[in-house]
Amino acid sequence: MNVSHSTLDGAVELAREATGAGVAGVLLMPPHYFRYSQEEIRSFYLAYADAIDGIIPTYLYNIPAFTSEIASSTAAELLASGRFCGIKDSSGSLDYFHALQEQSAGKPFTFLAGQERIFVQQRRTGAHGAVSGVASALPELMVALDHAIAAGTPERIERLDARLMEFLVWSDQIPWPTAAKEALKQRKLKSGALATPLSPQGERKLAEFAEWFRGWLPAVLRECRETK
C-alpha cells in the first residue's frame, strides 16, 4: 500500500491506518508537490521511522517524475540504517539501479522494479521483483515474463517482453493509467472512473486503443499460458 503524503504527519497517519487494516508493508515516497533537498529527504524518512517505531515494514519509493528524487546515495544510507526493508524504484534508470547495488553491497534489502521498460534488465541483474502498474490490467503477462526470467528461457523472455512493449507504446499515447483502466473495462472488470476527463483527441485515441486491445489480448493470453 502507498502511504505517501505531502506531509510527515499525513504519511504517519496513513501508515498507522494501513497497519490496522492488516497490510503487510507500505511504500513511502518523499513528500510530494514541493521539491526537497537530499538532507531534507533523509530527515523526513528518519522522522517517519521514529514515529512509526517499526510497526509496519516500509519501502522507500523513488519516483522522481512526481516528487523529489531519492538519490542513490541517500537511499543506500537509509537502507543501511536497518529501518527500511527495501525500495521500489520507478526512475526508469539502469544507472540508478546499478549505483544503488554498488553503494549497498553487502547490506540486505529488497529491490522492487517500478518501471516495466527495464524490468527484464533489472530482474536479470538482481531485482527481487516488481510493483507493476501494467500488472493491474495484465497480471498474466507480468507473471509469465517473471517466470520466464527465473527459468532462463531467452526466446520466451524476448517474446513476452515484446508484448509488454506493445502495450506500453499504446499507454504512452494517453495519460496513465487510462490505458490500464480501459484494458480492465475491456476485460469486463471494474476499474473506476478516470481522474480527469480526456480531451476529444484523447477520447479518439482511447477508442483506438480499445479496438486494438480487443484484438491483441487473446493471442497474448495464449502465449502466457504456453510452457515454453
Side-chain angles (χ1 to χ4, degrees):
M1 178 178 177
N2 187 349
V3 298
S4 301
H5 197 278
S6 58
T7 69
L8 172 63
D9 289 347
V12 169
E13 181 178 354
L14 289 173
R16 288 174 176 159
E17 289 180 1
T19 302
V23 171
V26 297
L27 295 172
L28 178 63
M29 66 187 192
H32 54 76
Y33 192 76
F34 294 110
R35 295 288 172 174
Y36 295 93
S37 71
Q38 292 304 303
E39 183 58 37
E40 289 161 341
I41 291 169
R42 185 182 300 105
S43 296
F44 164 78
Y45 277 106
L46 294 176
Y48 164 89
D50 287 339
I52 69 163
D53 194 26
I55 62 173
I56 191 167
T58 299
Y59 294 79
L60 310 177
Y61 186 3
N62 184 44
I63 183 164
F66 298 111
T67 187
S68 305
E69 179 184 36
I70 310 171
S72 60
S73 57
T74 303
E77 181 180 340
L78 291 169
L79 292 167
S81 74
R83 309 181 79 180
F84 302 92
C85 53
I87 182 171
K88 176 191 175 185
D89 175 43
S90 296
S91 67
S93 170
L94 281 172
D95 289 341
Y96 185 96
F97 174 53
H98 295 316
L100 184 56
Q101 283 182 309
E102 181 178 344
Q103 293 161 353
S104 300
K107 301 166 186 171
F109 68 94
T110 299
F111 186 96
L112 300 173
Q115 172 50 265
E116 289 90 354
R117 286 171 182 80
I118 58 173
F119 170 65
V120 169
Q121 297 96 311
Q122 289 182 321
R123 192 74 170 91
R124 278 174 157 170
T125 54
H128 300 94
V131 178
S132 167
V134 172
S136 64
L138 292 164
E140 302 92 343
L141 178 55
M142 294 305 300
V143 169
L145 180 55
D146 189 67
H147 286 174
I149 295 167
T153 51
E155 292 183 2
R156 182 162 169 76
I157 294 168
E158 183 177 357
R159 184 166 66 253
L160 293 172
D161 192 43
R163 289 299 199 180
L164 175 59
M165 295 305 125
E166 289 170 356
F167 183 85
L168 291 175
V169 166
W170 270 100
S171 70
D172 283 345
Q173 299 179 51
I174 40 184
W176 184 261
T178 304
K181 284 180 174 287
E182 183 62 31
L184 286 168
K185 178 181 176 182
Q186 295 301 321
R187 301 191 70 175
K188 311 301 182 186
L189 297 169
K190 292 182 179 181
S191 62
L194 297 179
T196 185
L198 296 176
S199 67
Q201 181 180 359
E203 290 285 1
R204 289 192 294 271
K205 184 58 67 176
L206 184 60
E208 292 174 13
F209 166 76
E211 182 178 1
W212 169 81
F213 184 81
R214 287 193 297 271
W216 176 82
L217 181 63
V220 173
L221 294 180
R222 285 195 300 272
E223 291 173 16
C224 291
R225 290 192 294 267
E226 293 174 358
T227 58
K228 296 182 179 180

